[in-house]
Structure formats: structure tokens, C-alpha cells
Amino acid sequence: MLTGNVPTFLGELTLLQRLQLGPNLLTNEPSLGLSFLTSLTNCRSLNTLVIGSNRLDGVLPNSIGNLSTTLELLEATGSHINGMIPSEIGNLSNLVTLALGNNDLTGSIPETIGKLQKIQQLQVYDTAIHGLIPDNICKLTNLGELNSMNTKLYGSIPSCLGNLSSLRRLQLGSNALTSTMPSTLGSLKDILLLNLSSNFLSGPLPQEIGSMESIVELQLSGNQFSGNITNSIGEFQNWVNLSLSRNRLQGPIPESFADLVSLESLDLSLNNLSGTIHKSLEKLLHLGYLNVSFNELSAGSYIGTDPLCGAAQFHVKACKGNKHTGFSKTKIFMVYTLPSITLIIIAVAIAIGLLTQRARNTHLLVRENSPIHPFNWRISYYEILQATNNFSEDNLLGRRSIGLTYKGIFHNGMVAAVKVFNLQLQAAFKSFEAECEALRNIRHRNLVKVISSCSNPDFKALVLIYMPNGNLEKWLYTHNYFLDIDQRIGIMIDSLKLTEVL
């Protein structure tokens, strides 16, 4: 929790090898910019520089290229740095990791990036960087990770990326990339994660996908891929997560999918797929999530030849009577239906309970003098992912029909509740917008305050103040907790006061 400006006298520590300043609340003198970086050029033995997760507000100086050539790690993630990446960055010839994500950077990726022959990790995600992916990146033969998620890159994916045999993680999702998916990416036999989601890629899925022998996760959702799903996807058994949703794919689900024995998540929703959902998919014992909604599929031997049925908004035929399907396993989700009025009423009651904060001196409350939270702090999907330990079950606080709530510990030490909306439900979009609107305009002591939100086409979440003693449902309906009659009446009164405001 260190505050104040980063001093320039750090440059007088001429034997300094490692300088790690984050996460803290450090700033810089606006008139001087990030001049402390210039002072560090005197430290000729510097090999580690970590300034990320602070409140720096300035432009990377050109003098950054004069830092010691012994520098191997430069990490400046989430520090409100703006301006362009200086071309002089290419002078840091021994750099192994360059992490500049979650900043206000603009401009393009400099061509000089190709001079960093030893670099293994390059991160510029969650920035306003735009332009083409420079072909010079293909000169980085030791590159193991390239993460440019949620930037403004456009144009085609360089086919020469397929020559980077060291690549393990290639993340280019949420950009404006066009053209096709290069078949040369199939040469990346050791790649573990490939994310090209939410772009404008088109054409068929290349047959060469099946050559990625080690791949664990493939995210291609939210593009314009067409044609049939290539059978080669089912040739390897390492797949854990596979998402091809929101494309224009057609034809059947390949029977070879039944051979993906490690698969935990499969999303084929919002395509033009037809044919039968093969009973052989029952062999996928680890499958925890299966979504084939918004297609023209039938469930085959599970329910005879009848097509899937459900609510009209899911583009399937209406169900007749109370006919049950064979999909009784709760871990497989085929078509979602809306909750009944009774469940909605219960959900509303629980929501009020979650939002209720007693103003009295009971052990249920977070006191008014609790630590100040950085309201309006911009939070990215990847910060939420890290804070919740990849949405670990250990951090799960509660389940609701509209989504899940997790405990998150962020890089600055802040503890928050992260409410993640289930976007497979149409009602979730309206609920997210309604809650944002209500919580933006209403201030009340019984309402949990919103710290921030995270919203993109594939993910929506609210970040709320964490209530360490749990939600009201736990105190009312579990045997391990007890409220006396006065406390219960007080909660009812506070809830009524809240409904008057709403």
C-alpha cells in the first residue's frame, strides 16, 4: 500500500539488479512523466524491473531503450501507462518477458519488436494498440506466449506464426482480425492454448487443426467460420476446452468427438449444425459443460427421433406436454428453459437478501469504516480470472439461476465479490443491464456498493464489495448459523426500506 511518487534517486543505486515496485499505489510527478525510468539507465546490472499494478500515469520514455542490456524482465501491467510503445524497446536485446497489458497504450506494435531475439513472453492485452500484427514477430523464434487479447488489431493473422515452434499460448481474441485462419498454425504441434475468438475470421476450419498434437484449449467462438466441422479435431485426446460457438458452421457433429476423452467443456451453440447428437458422447466422462443450443439438431437415440424442444427464444420447437428426455445428467446442459414464476419470486427474495446490509451493530455487517475501495477502477476479464483463480470452485460464494458469484482477491490486495452472469440465458443480459442501471442511480445503506463492472460480448460481471460474513440466505436457512427474532425482524424492516427506494 505504498503511495507517493517513484523517486528518481533510484538511479543512484548503480549496482541494482532487481527492482520490484508493484503492486502498490505509487504515482509519478505529472510534469516529469516516467522520468524515474530514465534514471534507471545508470543501473547497468539491472535484470528485473517490475512497476506493474501501480497508478503511474505517463508515457514510456524513449530512454527505455537505454536500460541495461542485462534486463530480462520488464513488467508494467495495469499501471495506467499511456502513449505508444517506443521503438527503442528493440534495444533490450536480452529481454525474456515484456508485459505491458491492461494499460492505456495506443499506436501499433513497433517493428523493432523483431529484434528481441530472446523474448519468450509478450503481453499487450487490454490496451488500445491497433494496426496489423507485424511480420517481424515471426522472427522471435523463442516466443512461447503472445497475448494481444482485447486490443484493436486488424488485418490477417500472419501465416508465418506457424513457424514459431516454441509457441505454447497464442491469444489474439477480441480484435478485428479478418481473412481466414492460417492452415500453417497446424504446424504448432506443441501449442497448448489457441484463442482467436471474437474476430471476423471466415472460411472453413482448416483440416490442419488436427495436427496440434498437444493442444488443450481451442477458442474460436464469435467469428464467421463456415462449412463442416473438420473430423480431424477428434484425432487427439488432450482437448479440455473447445468452443466453436457463434459461427456459421453447418453439417453434423463429427462422431470423432466421442474420442475426446479429456474434454471438459464443449460449446457448439449458435451455429447451423444439423443431424443427431450421438449417444457415443456419453463416453466423455469428464464433460462438465455441453451447449448445442440454437442449432437444428435432434437428440437421436436419447429421445427417439424427436427434435430438441424448449422455449421459443432458443430457436427450438415447443415441448408437448410433460414428456421427459433422456438427458437426466445435470452436468450436461442442452437447451435452457426459463425459471418458473415461483423460482423468480424466490430469486428476487434472495437477491434482496444479498443486497441487504443491516445498519445495526450485529456481526452480520461490514462496518461503515471498512477500507476504502477504488470505485470506478477499470477491471479486465483477465484480472477477474486471476483474482478468482480461474473461477475456482474453492472461491464460489453462491449459485443463482442468473449466474455465479465468486470471491476474488485482486493484485492490489482488494477482496471483492464477483457476480458472473450466465449469458446462455437471455434474461441474464436484461438482468445485467437492469442492475447496472439501478446501482448507478441508487445510493442506499442497504445496497452493496458496486466497485466496477466488466462487459464484453462473451462475458459480463459486476464486482461488488465483499461481505465477509456471507449472504442473508446462509444466515436464515442453514443450521450452522443463528439469528434471534429481533435480528430477523430488523432484517425484514431494512428490506422493506430498500424496496421503497427501488
Side-chain angles (χ1 to χ4, degrees):
M1 303 299 289
L2 294 176
T3 59
N5 298 332
V6 180
T8 56
F9 63 68
L10 291 174
E12 299 175 19
L13 305 174
T14 55
L15 299 181
L16 189 65
Q17 296 182 14
R18 298 169 62 87
L19 177 60
Q20 297 178 262
L21 301 179
N24 276 295
L25 303 174
L26 297 171
T27 56
N28 57 284
E29 180 62 43
S31 61
L32 298 178
L34 303 182
S35 57
F36 72 89
L37 289 176
T38 301
S39 73
L40 294 176
T41 58
N42 297 321
C43 306
R44 304 316 299 170
S45 299
L46 191 65
N47 61 55
T48 299
L49 177 57
V50 178
I51 60 175
S53 301
N54 280 292
R55 295 180 177 179
L56 307 174
D57 183 8
V59 177
L60 291 173
N62 294 340
S63 59
I64 198 171
N66 296 329
L67 291 171
S68 173
T69 54
T70 61
L71 190 66
E72 296 180 352
L73 169 62
L74 174 56
E75 193 272 309
T77 303
S79 290
H80 304 279
I81 295 175
N82 50 64
M84 301 173 63
I85 301 175
S87 60
E88 287 79 4
I89 200 81
N91 296 341
L92 304 177
S93 55
N94 284 301
L95 207 59
V96 174
T97 296
L98 177 60
L100 302 176
N102 192 21
N103 280 296
D104 300 319
L105 294 169
T106 58
S108 58
I109 300 174
E111 290 283 344
T112 54
I113 209 80
K115 297 168 63 178
L116 304 178
Q117 292 294 303
K118 294 185 178 180
I119 197 163
Q120 297 177 18
Q121 189 176 38
L122 176 59
Q123 298 179 346
V124 291
Y125 62 86
D126 287 343
T127 65
I129 284 178
H130 60 269
L132 303 173
I133 301 174
D135 288 337
N136 276 2
I137 282 184
C138 298
K139 297 180 179 179
L140 307 179
T141 55
N142 292 302
L143 191 63
E145 177 184 353
L146 173 59
N147 188 342
S148 184
M149 292 283 292
N150 194 29
T151 59
K152 297 182 179 180
L153 297 176
Y154 54 79
S156 59
I157 299 173
S159 59
C160 58
L161 288 178
N163 299 328
L164 300 180
S165 58
S166 296
L167 263 182
R168 299 296 183 271
R169 302 170 66 89
L170 176 58
Q171 301 184 79
L172 301 174
S174 299
N175 281 284
L177 299 171
T178 54
S179 191
T180 60
M181 176 179 171
S183 60
T184 53
L185 295 183
S187 301
L188 302 175
K189 297 186 183 301
D190 294 319
I191 195 166
L192 300 174
L193 168 62
L194 176 60
N195 190 331
L196 306 178
S197 61
S198 300
N199 280 289
F200 299 98
L201 301 173
S202 58
L205 296 176
Q207 186 76 17
E208 289 78 6
I209 289 179
S211 300
M212 299 177 177
E213 299 176 359
S214 303
I215 194 164
V216 172
E217 181 171 346
L218 178 64
Q219 299 284 343
L220 299 179
S221 62
N223 282 286
Q224 299 171 11
F225 291 116
S226 57
N228 291 3
I229 301 175
T230 172
N231 279 309
S232 63
I233 285 183
E235 293 180 3
F236 299 101
Q237 300 182 2
N238 296 323
W239 298 94
V240 174
N241 297 313
L242 175 59
S243 179
L244 303 175
S245 67
R246 294 184 293 114
N247 280 289
R248 300 174 181 175
L249 299 170
Q250 57 195 35
I253 299 175
E255 292 189 43
S256 59
F257 274 22
D259 297 326
L260 303 176
V261 294
S262 298
L263 201 62
E264 297 178 2
S265 175
L266 175 61
D267 193 346
L268 303 175
S269 62
L270 292 155
N271 279 288
N272 299 313
L273 300 176
S274 58
T276 299
I277 303 170
H278 305 288
K279 188 176 179 63
S280 58
L281 292 180
E282 286 183 338
K283 294 192 300 182
L284 305 181
L285 300 180
H286 299 288
L287 192 63
Y289 177 81
L290 171 62
N291 188 353
V292 295
S293 61
F294 295 95
N295 281 291
E296 300 296 329
L297 293 161
S298 63
S301 58
Y302 287 100
I303 49 176
T305 57
D306 293 341
L308 296 174
C309 64
Q313 67 265 34
F314 295 113
H315 295 190
V316 294
K317 293 182 179 181
C319 295
K320 298 179 180 180
N322 296 320
K323 186 174 183 179
H324 296 284
T325 73
F327 290 104
S328 59
K329 295 180 181 179
T330 57
K331 70 181 221 173
I332 300 180
F333 302 97
M334 302 298 300
V335 177
Y336 301 93
T337 57
L338 296 178
S340 65
I341 297 298
T342 302
L343 290 178
I344 292 175
I345 293 173
I346 293 173
V348 170
I350 292 173
I352 292 175
L354 286 171
L355 295 175
T356 299
Q357 181 179 327
R358 297 259 338 257
R360 304 178 180 182
N361 293 326
T362 71
H363 55 288
L364 290 175
L365 301 183
V366 172
R367 300 178 59 86
E368 290 296 327
N369 59 356
S370 59
I372 297 175
H373 292 77
F375 295 101
N376 298 321
W377 168 38
R378 188 181 70 173
I379 297 179
S380 71
Y381 169 79
Y382 291 97
E383 287 179 289
I384 290 176
L385 194 66
Q386 292 174 353
T388 59
N389 192 20
N390 294 324
F391 302 114
S392 168
E393 285 284 335
D394 294 337
N395 289 340
L396 186 63
L397 297 177
R399 298 176 184 269
R400 296 292 176 268
S401 60
I402 210 70
L404 305 175
T405 302
Y406 296 88
K407 178 181 178 181
I409 303 177
F410 290 84
H411 56 74
N412 61 359
M414 182 189 71
V415 180
V418 181
K419 183 176 181 180
V420 180
F421 290 77
N422 179 7
L423 299 188
Q424 303 300 334
L425 296 175
Q426 188 180 34
F429 288 92
K430 295 181 179 179
S431 178
F432 177 79
E433 294 171 359
E435 289 194 40
C436 286
E437 184 65 24
L439 296 171
R440 184 187 302 118
N441 297 321
I442 297 175
R443 296 291 183 270
H444 195 276
R445 68 181 186 180
N446 290 348
L447 273 176
V448 176
K449 293 181 177 63
V450 175
I451 298 171
S452 185
S453 65
C454 179
S455 177
N456 62 52
D458 300 313
F459 182 81
K460 294 186 185 297
L462 291 177
V463 181
L464 310 162
I465 285 181
Y466 176 62
M467 309 295 285
N469 289 311
N471 59 49
L472 187 59
E473 180 187 22
K474 178 181 74 175
W475 287 88
L476 289 175
Y477 301 116
T478 56
H479 298 296
N480 297 329
Y481 301 90
F482 175 76
L483 296 177
D484 60 34
I485 187 64
D486 290 336
Q487 290 172 321
R488 290 174 182 268
I489 292 174
I491 291 172
M492 292 171 62
I493 293 172
D494 285 347
S495 297
L496 288 172
K497 290 179 180 178
L498 177 59
T499 58
E500 289 175 0
V501 175
L502 296 176

